[in-house]
Amino acid sequence: MKYVKPLNLFHDLLKTNSLGRLLGLDVGDKYVGLAVSDSQNKIASPLSVLFRKKRNTDLLASNLQSLVSELSLEGFVVGYPFDRQRSNPDAIWVKLFVDDLSKTGKLEGLRYTYWDECFTSKNVELLLKPLELHPVKSKMMVDKFAAVGILQGYLDYVNRNMKSQEQLSEARSKWR
């Protein structure tokens, strides 16, 4: 696995004219919520939740490897708790998780980037609270839909950025 900057991940997809999709990951201490983009990388949808333990990184990598081929995935957008005010222990756990996945060697050639997961879980918790779900089911739903929030936030940003660049190019060509 190779880290790339957020815009570079999307630019690389466009350069290859690939119809590859992206997978959003919300990495928690017990679960990894997954969301997948549509083939045009405009809309994120919930996919599933993987159970996470320190000892099952190899199994998680195998599951992700299967999803890569099954869904034509080109990269991962990993939720990361950016906090410029203080260091965040959750940030360390996310980086260790990605490092452990990389060390398995099962996701070679796949690119990933980090995206701010700020308030994604909290927003989903607030939406689910009135449903009074069983705590385990609620936690799994939170992780899955937090992954949607992470991936959708990324997709909105990169698509908006691409549109702005296109408009800028058009404006420059009119002035020439």
Side-chain angles (χ1 to χ4, degrees):
M1 287 177 42
K2 178 185 173 193
Y3 171 78
V4 292
K5 292 180 179 179
L7 284 175
N8 291 349
L9 178 62
F10 200 73
H11 284 277
D12 291 349
L13 276 177
L14 295 176
K15 282 181 195 172
T16 60
N17 289 326
S18 165
L19 292 177
R21 299 157 75 180
L22 297 169
L23 188 73
L25 286 81
D26 177 51
V27 180
D29 55 343
K30 284 189 178 179
Y31 302 106
V32 179
L34 303 177
V36 66
S37 69
D38 65 337
S39 61
Q40 296 170 349
N41 288 307
K42 303 255 187 226
I43 300 170
S45 300
L47 185 62
S48 64
V49 176
L50 300 177
F51 186 66
R52 178 178 176 224
K53 283 186 185 176
K54 180 71 175 159
R55 298 180 307 275
N56 76 342
T57 304
D58 199 59
L59 178 61
L60 277 169
S62 295
N63 289 339
L64 292 171
Q65 185 180 37
S66 296
L67 289 173
V68 167
S69 59
E70 182 183 322
L71 300 172
S72 303
L73 299 173
E74 292 288 328
F76 294 164
V77 178
V78 182
Y80 188 81
F82 289 102
D83 187 352
R84 291 183 171 88
Q85 303 300 322
R86 54 190 151 83
S87 67
N88 188 333
D90 292 339
I92 295 166
W93 283 106
V94 170
K95 286 206 176 199
L96 288 173
F97 173 76
V98 171
D99 288 346
D100 289 346
L101 279 180
S102 293
K103 288 176 188 171
T104 67
K106 294 184 177 189
L107 301 166
E108 280 302 309
L110 200 69
R111 291 159 301 179
Y112 70 94
T113 195
Y114 292 112
W115 194 253
D116 192 4
E117 67 173 11
C118 185
F119 302 117
T120 53
S121 295
K122 188 53 81 180
N123 288 339
V124 176
E125 285 171 9
L126 291 171
L127 288 171
L128 293 178
K129 192 173 184 174
L131 299 178
E132 298 178 7
L133 298 171
H134 185 277
V136 173
K137 184 169 185 154
S138 178
K139 178 66 178 136
M140 292 176 77
M141 295 280 286
V142 166
D143 290 334
K144 189 187 321 185
F145 283 94
V148 170
I150 291 162
L151 183 56
Q152 190 63 57
Y154 172 80
L155 293 173
D156 289 346
Y157 174 78
V158 294
N159 281 297
R160 206 171 32 247
N161 185 279
M162 294 304 297
K163 191 172 184 176
S164 295
Q165 285 184 356
E166 288 170 9
Q167 290 170 343
L168 185 61
S169 293
E170 286 176 21
R172 284 183 180 156
S173 66
K174 287 180 183 177
W175 288 98
R176 291 182 186 168

